[in-house]
Amino acid sequence: MTEPIITDATDLDFYKLTMQQYAFFESRKRGGKPVNTRFKFKCRREGVDFSPVYNQICAEVTALENIRFTEDEVNYLRGLGCFRDEYLEFLLRDFWLHPEREVELSLSHSGELEIEVVGDWKFV
C-alpha cells in the first residue's frame, strides 16, 4: 500500500470531536462502563460498485490503528476553548482505534460497500 490517506488524528470533522467528548463524559457518569454502539455506513448513491477499490479501503481502515493524537494536535484543540482538559488528556493518553475488532467491512454481491463499526462509543 502507498502512504495512507489519513495520516493524523485531526483529519476529521469538528462534530466528531464534540460528540466524542459527550460520549467520554457519559461513560464517566456510568462509572467508566462502556456505552456499546453500532454504526453502519450507507452510501446514499445507489448502484456504486466499490469492488475496484475495496482492497484499498480495507488497507486504509487497517492503517487507522496507527493514528494517535500528538501533543501539538491536543494543544491546538485546547486553544479552541470548547474541550475539557479531562477529554483532551484521554485523546492524548488513551485514545486509539482497533479496526481489526471494531470495524467489519464487506461487499455485497453487487459491489456495494458495507461497513459496520461496533464498540464503546467513546472510541468508535
Side-chain angles (χ1 to χ4, degrees):
M1 181 175 111
T2 59
E3 181 72 20
I5 293 170
I6 299 173
T7 58
D8 67 73
T10 57
D11 191 357
L12 46 73
D13 61 45
F14 189 73
Y15 173 78
K16 288 184 175 112
L17 291 170
T18 58
M19 286 306 300
Q20 184 185 40
Q21 178 174 243
Y22 176 80
F24 172 77
F25 285 107
E26 273 301 301
S27 175
R28 290 186 70 184
K29 282 184 203 175
R30 299 166 189 240
K33 293 180 184 172
V35 178
N36 294 316
T37 58
R38 176 180 299 271
F39 297 97
K40 189 171 186 175
F41 167 81
K42 170 70 174 157
C43 180
R44 293 182 180 140
R45 189 172 178 196
E46 293 294 322
V48 176
D49 181 4
F50 285 91
S51 57
V53 293
Y54 179 71
N55 288 336
Q56 182 181 355
I57 292 169
C58 290
E60 291 291 336
V61 168
T62 299
L64 292 174
E65 185 173 45
N66 300 315
I67 301 292
R68 301 286 186 280
F69 280 89
T70 66
E71 291 271 351
D72 286 343
E73 291 166 341
V74 168
N75 286 334
Y76 168 77
L77 294 174
R78 184 174 280 113
L80 297 176
C82 58
F83 297 106
R84 292 171 53 185
D85 285 336
E86 301 96 327
Y87 170 66
L88 294 172
E89 285 304 310
F90 161 75
L91 290 181
L92 189 59
R93 309 280 179 235
D94 299 319
F95 177 74
W96 69 94
L97 299 170
H98 295 100
E100 75 284 348
R101 71 174 183 229
E102 296 166 343
V103 181
E104 299 170 16
L105 289 146
S106 61
L107 280 176
S108 71
H109 65 281
S110 62
E112 290 181 73
L113 182 63
E114 297 175 3
I115 304 175
E116 281 197 66
V117 184
V118 179
D120 185 350
W121 191 16
K122 70 180 175 269
F123 289 102
V124 302

